[in-house]
Amino acid sequence: DITVLDSLPPTNKSLDWVTSTTAAEIAVPADAWTDWDAKTQKFITVGELGPMIEDAKTQQAAYDAKLAEEQPKLDAKAAELAAAVKKFDADALKGVVTDLAASLKELNGQETDVETILSSEDAVATIDGVVAELNATAPALTPEEKVKKVADFALSYVTITKFDANLAALAARSVGTAKVKSVVTYPDLANVKWHDGSAFSVADIVMGLIMTFDRSKTDSAIYDEASVPNFDSFMETFKGVKIVSTSPLVVEYYTDLTQPDAELMAVSLWPNYGYGESSWDMIAVANKAEAAGALAYSSDKATAATIEQTSFNGGPSLDILSKELDAAAGESYIPYAPTMGTYVTADEAKARYENLKAFYGEHKHFWVGTGPYMLDKVFLTEKSLTLKNFADYPDLSNRWSGFGEPKLPDVTLDGAGAVKIGAEATFDVNVTFKGEAYAADGIKEVKYLVYNAKGEVVTKGLATLDVDGHYVVTLGADVTSKLETGSNKIEVAVIPISVAVPTFISFEFVTTP
């Protein structure tokens, strides 16, 4: 069920598994999860975050006021020091930086490790470049321009500490309302099994949601700065999520991210990690390996730390994951226990790990999903693999057969071959598929255009539905009176819902006095 603000453009809806409504306002519940505390390993609710946002705003306002007072003083001191430079060489520029750092410490107590900064290879190269540029351009520069160049150089190394980025992001958040509310209901999750025989559970959903946040939090044991840009983009529109019920599973999701189609705004929280779906226990084992510094999900982190990138289906990762799996099974490990402990017990955790161990023992990989085919064997050297039918897959093979063949409509258009100018004229549009009338609820629109003898559009509009498969175009006297004696054309476009390609047909008729 999708609800969108009524102030937004109309939303399209194509299929009957989704309903679409509008509302003047969409309030995010106070108990909806809106952020994650990696230290406590608990979600932060909208109600809890509200005061934190206000506190961050207060801190930022105080910082901005202090910056407005201190920055002009630091800028003036930089200009004063730059004006005293008579000879452009490395020692002179370093001296300006050193003196400016001392002035900043006097101004607000902030320490700057000038020696370390200026001794770096990048700084040495930069100083040499600035010196060369200044000496080359000095004759053409005004005194003010020279001062500005030296001052800007010094200010690039001696800066007032920036406001905390996390607090700034928090101060910018607004979580009380949303543009879209998605409510997804799963009627039959009890029938879903993982390829290792474990039953799908709400814990799989919760683990997926935790991982959306945890890797991008600096307090996390698996923090990865490579994940932060995508996370920041996600947080620009995310407002909150709430598990309303676990049997059946009902998930409310609030966001400012809109789409033209209601189907695209349905958010299920299915545990897909960017490469495919994964069970919570599989992720828990990989997280343990990453926290231990043995593996890394991203290539960036793996390269920087000179460790293996996590692979669930081959390579050195498998031995590492196997050892962590044994450890997890031995302690009935529940990851992120302060949150996950609500959705999984120690006995359930142990059973999950034992199933995963048995699967690994048979198939020699950890690629476990829920789909109709399971990965049986992987041969990295030969670059081949084998798939097997998954007998416990719940959906019958014909569930999606309705999408196997595009329902492109067959259309005929008929009417009077001769029309008197100023008289009413009707045309019949018949729409079928495989000889049967095309259901009206499968047709988005039947449009028509009328062209005169010069090829100019005289009128356009929508055909009127008579019964399934039959539409009527009526040209009133006001339309035909605009036509001249001669040949004219009516063109009809039938636009079905289930396929993106409209069907066009045209019919020529003559007008007589």
Side-chain angles (χ1 to χ4, degrees), residues 126 152 446 482:
T126 300
D152 287 347
V446 177
K482 298 176 183 177

Side-chain angles (χ1 to χ4, degrees), residues 9-24:
T11 300
N12 300 317
K13 186 185 88 73
S14 302
L15 301 170
D16 59 5
W17 60 264
V18 61
T19 61
S20 179
T21 56
T22 61

